[in-house]
Amino acid sequence: MSKGLINKILPFSSVDGPGNRTAIFMQGCNFNCLYCHNPETINNCHNCGLCIATCPKGCLLKQEGFVAWNKDQCIDCDNCLKSCKSCSSPKAIWMSIEEVMYKIENTKCFISGITISGGECMLQKEFVTELCEEVKALNLTTFIDSNGSVPFWGDDRLINAIDMVMLDVKAYDSEAHKMLTGKDNQIVLKNLDYLASINKLYEVRTVIVPEVLDNIRTVDMVSKRIAKLNANIRYKLIKYRPIGVRTQLINSYVPTNELMEELYDIAKANGCKNIVII
Ligand code: SF4
Ligand code: SF4
């Protein structure tokens, strides 16, 4: 069985899919979003050691060229994450399927399933597939939170192992998507169509950032596409909030309630039946 590089595991989360779920955040992302809320998940640690001195508890040590983390002494102050210039974490650890399953078995009476997030969890697709197979055997549901950059199609084993996907469509036009994330969105949009066609698309999410993105264009085009595929797929419009993000975009970029309502109305007029603003 494979191992996965994991940033952290939240035993209980009520914001990562339906119900109470164990959320597993994988390390590593192929996007570089201007507003990334989890910048410490983007890159793998290259063991430079610069974060070691920032730890107030002496939990970080360089051993044989690698930065080791003493989990038991850690107080989760996140000084190390804030000091890392490489968008990484010294706390990410390689875990086997058995080690992750041990944690899930401990919480299984209280959760409806797991959500695998990131970073971009699909970059560790083999591990995700194996983990979802094991979790489904416990009669728990398996959700994937993805930036959509890795194809879901062409992998029956993966598709059989996952119940639903929550997909980001950050911008509709390729150039805008590239400006925001560093990558175009052709695979993202193909994933949108494919996942909807097999009834595995739980929701589509767009973060609204005025002045940085043409939000009206994106919501107009994405909602038209959703409505054509399946009008009941949830379209979640997320208000950008400059809290905990890597780039502190200035306050004027925070969308007004009026703009959010305008976008809601556009999606509704285009035929979406399940629109949520958060
Ligand atoms: S987490 Fe960042 S600062 Fe710390 S050792 Fe790794 S790359 Fe260097
Ligand atoms: S989060 Fe843990 S390892 Fe990082 S600086 Fe704080 S105590 Fe040290």
Side-chain angles (χ1 to χ4, degrees):
M1 282 189 172
S2 57
K3 286 195 166 192
L5 185 58
I6 293 177
N7 179 275
K8 68 179 170 197
I9 297 178
L10 293 181
F12 304 110
S13 168
S14 58
V15 296
D16 292 291
N20 196 18
R21 314 187 70 76
T22 294
I24 298 145
F25 295 86
M26 309 294 293
Q27 186 73 23
C29 188
N30 52 349
F31 281 6
N32 198 11
C33 300
L34 291 177
Y35 55 54
C36 181
H37 279 74
N38 301 315
E40 72 280 3
T41 66
I42 295 176
N43 294 314
N44 291 3
C45 172
H46 56 84
N47 298 293
C48 69
L50 291 178
C51 57
I52 291 174
T54 68
C55 178
K57 304 301 273 185
C59 303
L60 301 171
L61 282 176
K62 203 150 189 181
Q63 291 176 337
E64 298 172 358
F66 293 94
V67 173
W69 171 51
N70 183 341
K71 186 178 192 302
D72 295 334
Q73 301 292 317
C74 177
I75 54 169
D76 284 326
C77 67
D78 287 349
N79 281 359
C80 51
L81 307 186
K82 289 173 206 150
S83 70
C84 179
K85 303 278 183 270
S86 306
C87 294
S88 188
S89 166
K91 302 193 284 178
I93 50 172
W94 287 98
M95 293 180 77
S96 66
I97 299 284
E98 289 86 351
E99 286 167 326
V100 179
M101 285 306 293
Y102 178 75
K103 289 185 176 290
I104 295 168
E105 300 254 7
N106 283 337
T107 58
K108 75 174 179 188
C109 296
F110 309 103
I111 59 173
S112 51
I114 65 161
T115 296
I116 311 180
S117 182
E120 175 47 44
C121 65
M122 283 285 287
L123 296 173
Q124 300 184 63
K125 198 168 73 160
E126 190 184 330
F127 179 84
V128 166
T129 303
E130 287 179 28
L131 180 60
C132 289
E133 286 173 344
E134 296 287 323
V135 169
K136 275 179 88 73
L138 298 178
N139 285 324
L140 296 171
T141 57
T142 53
F143 277 54
I144 303 295
D145 177 343
S146 175
N147 68 18
S149 61
V150 177
F152 279 87
W153 62 87
D155 188 338
D156 290 347
R157 188 174 164 200
L158 169 79
I159 288 300
N160 288 334
I162 60 178
D163 286 308
M164 282 285 172
V165 176
M166 299 179 285
L167 185 75
D168 293 337
V169 180
K170 296 166 191 283
Y172 194 78
D173 292 327
S174 188
E175 282 309 309
H177 196 274
K178 244 189 239 174
M179 178 277 296
L180 182 70
T181 71
K183 294 272 165 61
D184 74 33
N185 62 356
Q186 288 176 14
I187 295 175
V188 179
L189 295 176
K190 272 194 194 173
N191 273 326
L192 170 69
D193 295 345
Y194 172 68
L195 291 167
S197 75
I198 58 167
N199 290 322
K200 295 235 174 190
L201 188 56
Y202 179 74
E203 73 179 16
V204 178
R205 292 93 54 97
T206 298
V207 177
I208 307 305
V209 196
E211 298 173 54
V212 174
L213 296 169
D214 185 345
N215 305 281
I216 289 178
R217 161 98 179 141
T218 290
V219 171
D220 184 35
M221 296 306 290
V222 172
S223 60
K224 277 178 182 152
R225 201 146 171 164
I226 293 172
K228 202 168 156 196
L229 293 160
N230 177 352
N232 291 312
I233 291 169
R234 179 189 293 179
Y235 190 20
K236 190 182 269 182
L237 305 176
I238 302 171
K239 196 171 184 178
Y240 168 73
R241 295 170 177 88
I243 301 164
V245 292
R246 176 177 48 174
T247 307
Q248 295 289 325
L249 298 176
I250 58 173
N251 283 343
S252 62
Y253 293 153
V254 177
T256 61
N257 290 339
E258 290 73 25
L259 173 61
M260 298 305 288
E261 281 158 25
E262 184 185 347
L263 296 170
Y264 180 100
D265 291 341
I266 289 169
K268 195 172 174 199
N270 285 338
C272 286
K273 293 184 177 157
N274 187 356
I275 311 154
V276 178
I277 295 178
I278 64 166

